[in-house]
Amino acid sequence: MRLAAGCAVLGLTATLAACGSSDDPKSADGPQKVTMWMMKDSVTDDYLARFRKDFAATHKNIALDVQIQEWDGIGEKITAALASNDAPDVIEVGNTQVAQYAASGGVKDLTDRKADLKGEDWLPGLAQPGNIDGKQFGIPWYAANRVVIYNKDHFAKAGIKEVPRTREQWLADTAKLNKGGNQGIYLPGQTWYALAGFVWDEGGDLAVKDGKSYKGALDTPEALRGMEFYKQLQALGKGPKDSDEAKPNQVDVASKGDVSQYLAVPGNVKLVEEANPALKGKFGFFPIPGKSADKPGASFTGGSDLIIPEASAHQDAAYEVVKALTGEKWQTDMAKTMSYVPNKTSFAKAAAGDEGTAAQAAAAANGRATPNSPQWAAVEATNPIKGYMTAVLTGKDPATEAKKASESMTRTLGS
């Protein structure tokens, strides 16, 4: 993830303190001031204003100071804050970043709060990254995952009356769509999050625990079967074999109108419709199909967790903020406002009114996360998975290339 230096303070009713300050010298005589770092664009100004007003009314002994942070450079900023004596009280972090921060020793272990938060109901793929060696450091806040976005007109013309629920049917339907100048699916060759889902469905993983570290696992029979399915699906479109959805920009491709299906978070449709208003209302959503119809395919669950630094001066008050943001009232509001998936499976009803969010929620029930290693960020920086995928899609031996990529990952994860 990308993170940023400096903080942009949100212009709400309360006066916000300078970045990084969590202690209020007047707190002994009045409400404790709890400072929260929240990432830019995580929620709308209106949502945050509603939450602040409600929280102030129900927690009169706590003054909430929200400071909005830029993504660019935030990793270094959080790392420095966790090592200081002047940390904020609550920090929003990307769910795959929790292991990195927990390894520093500066994040409070919240395992004893899990029962109070009804953690047994958290989405597995969202809760998993916050749990390090059996200890819960990150509290799941919200989830977002890729679904299949499809052109309803294309499906109707191809005679497809129901969206596919199995991989086998998905391949068959995509082949039907791949006619008349349309491409049945736009799937760039390096969409490694999608590959991860297919690997997980086969019982494999990107990397597995090996003693105290991790080792790459792309060369297992299960992972190789996941890559084989990816190859079959990718061949039914015109996606480039040597790049991901950023090059070319997937929105630009989908907005041309000849793409029958592509993988993205539901909000991506709004950008496509802005680029080509003629496509407004043409798209539908369904979870990535699984191997059988009884459940959707596994999918990478991205999103944010909330952590409390060890250096927080107001840890109990900070917990009240975390508990409120992750509770039913504000999870439901967030699902309706931001089209995010709530953090608990029992909150899925909050997404029922929106087709895209409902598809995300259904997929999130079978969500997974990347390996829970502090070194995983370094793997993503060089990302041998992408090179492996391109090699296989261009005709090289899958087993040989998987072994190379796995060895590269093992070196990085063990560094």
Side-chain angles (χ1 to χ4, degrees):
M1 298 187 72
R2 302 179 315 115
L3 309 229
C7 77
V9 178
L10 194 65
L12 296 174
T13 54
T15 302
L16 303 187
C19 286
S21 176
S22 62
D23 189 29
D24 182 357
K26 297 180 181 180
S27 61
D29 301 317
Q32 296 181 70
K33 184 168 73 175
V34 171
T35 301
M36 177 179 180
W37 283 2
M38 185 181 291
M39 299 313 301
K40 184 178 181 180
D41 297 329
S42 281
V43 298
T44 64
D45 289 355
D46 287 345
Y47 174 92
L48 187 53
R50 289 195 301 275
F51 173 76
R52 287 172 57 91
K53 182 178 180 180
D54 182 81
F55 189 83
T58 55
H59 297 79
K60 297 187 182 299
N61 62 327
I62 301 173
L64 180 58
D65 174 13
V66 179
Q67 299 178 0
I68 303 302
Q69 307 294 311
E70 297 285 344
W71 283 108
D72 187 26
I74 193 65
E76 294 85 352
K77 186 172 183 180
I78 291 176
T79 299
L82 294 176
S84 74
N85 294 319
D86 190 27
D89 302 289
V90 181
I91 306 177
E92 174 194 355
V93 299
N95 63 333
T96 60
Q97 298 172 326
V98 178
Q100 173 188 347
Y101 298 137
S104 72
V107 180
K108 182 174 176 59
D109 176 6
L110 296 170
T111 306
D112 61 343
R113 302 286 196 171
K114 189 173 177 179
D116 184 46
L117 295 171
K118 297 180 173 58
E120 71 280 356
D121 192 32
W122 286 332
L123 294 173
L126 192 59
Q128 206 173 45
N131 190 291
I132 317 298
D133 295 328
K135 297 179 180 180
Q136 197 71 41
F137 292 95
I139 303 303
W141 187 19
Y142 64 82
N145 50 276
R146 289 166 176 78
V147 298
V148 183
I149 298 174
Y150 72 101
N151 188 304
K152 295 180 179 180
D153 287 350
H154 291 193
F155 269 56
K157 289 178 182 177
I160 303 171
K161 297 180 180 180
E162 295 182 350
V163 298
R165 295 179 60 196
T166 67
R167 279 193 193 176
E168 184 179 0
Q169 189 60 51
W170 193 21
L171 288 174
D173 287 347
T174 302
K176 291 179 183 178
L177 292 162
N178 201 22
K179 299 175 182 177
N182 294 328
Q183 50 179 320
I185 188 166
Y186 180 73
L187 182 61
Q190 295 183 348
T191 310
W192 69 275
Y193 283 128
L195 171 65
F198 303 149
V199 169
W200 292 328
D201 277 341
E202 294 291 349
D205 210 334
L206 304 177
V208 295
K209 199 75 179 286
D210 183 29
K212 294 184 178 180
S213 186
Y214 282 79
K215 66 177 181 179
L218 292 172
D219 54 343
T220 64
E222 295 83 1
L224 287 167
R225 288 198 298 269
M227 184 65 223
E228 176 57 29
F229 178 77
Y230 188 99
K231 184 178 180 180
Q232 292 179 55
L233 185 64
Q234 203 271 340
L236 294 173
K238 302 174 183 176
K241 293 177 171 56
D242 60 352
S243 64
D244 59 21
E245 59 266 31
K247 296 179 182 179
N249 188 301
Q250 189 164 245
V251 170
D252 294 337
V253 176
S255 64
K256 293 177 182 178
D258 63 347
V259 173
S260 298
Q261 304 172 95
Y262 69 103
L263 308 183
V265 296
N268 185 273
V269 164
K270 295 177 182 178
L271 302 177
V272 172
E273 290 176 343
E274 286 178 1
N276 185 355
L279 293 175
K280 189 173 180 62
K282 302 281 188 184
F283 293 104
F285 313 85
F286 61 89
I288 294 173
K291 295 187 72 175
S292 59
D294 60 330
K295 66 178 181 179
S299 63
F300 169 73
T301 304
S304 283
D305 279 19
L306 300 175
I307 63 173
I308 297 176
E310 286 283 12
S312 164
H314 310 293
Q315 291 185 354
D316 288 341
Y319 173 72
E320 292 302 316
V321 177
V322 172
K323 184 176 181 178
L325 282 170
T326 59
E328 183 171 9
K329 179 175 183 177
W330 293 102
Q331 286 289 299
T332 299
D333 192 314
M334 179 182 280
K336 294 177 179 178
T337 302
M338 305 300 300
S339 294
Y340 290 149
V341 178
N343 62 3
K344 292 186 175 71
T345 55
S346 60
F347 294 167
K349 62 182 182 295
D354 181 88
E355 184 183 357
T357 308
Q360 276 193 112
N366 195 24
R368 292 280 296 273
T370 51
N372 218 354
S373 165
Q375 299 301 322
W376 185 254
V379 171
E380 290 193 21
T382 56
N383 212 326
I385 305 172
K386 288 185 173 184
Y388 157 62
M389 296 172 74
T390 294
V392 173
L393 295 176
T394 53
K396 294 185 178 180
D397 178 60
T400 301
E401 297 304 320
K403 189 172 187 296
K404 290 179 184 176
S406 294
E407 289 173 347
S408 175
M409 292 168 67
T410 299
R411 288 192 296 271
T412 302
L413 292 166
S415 64

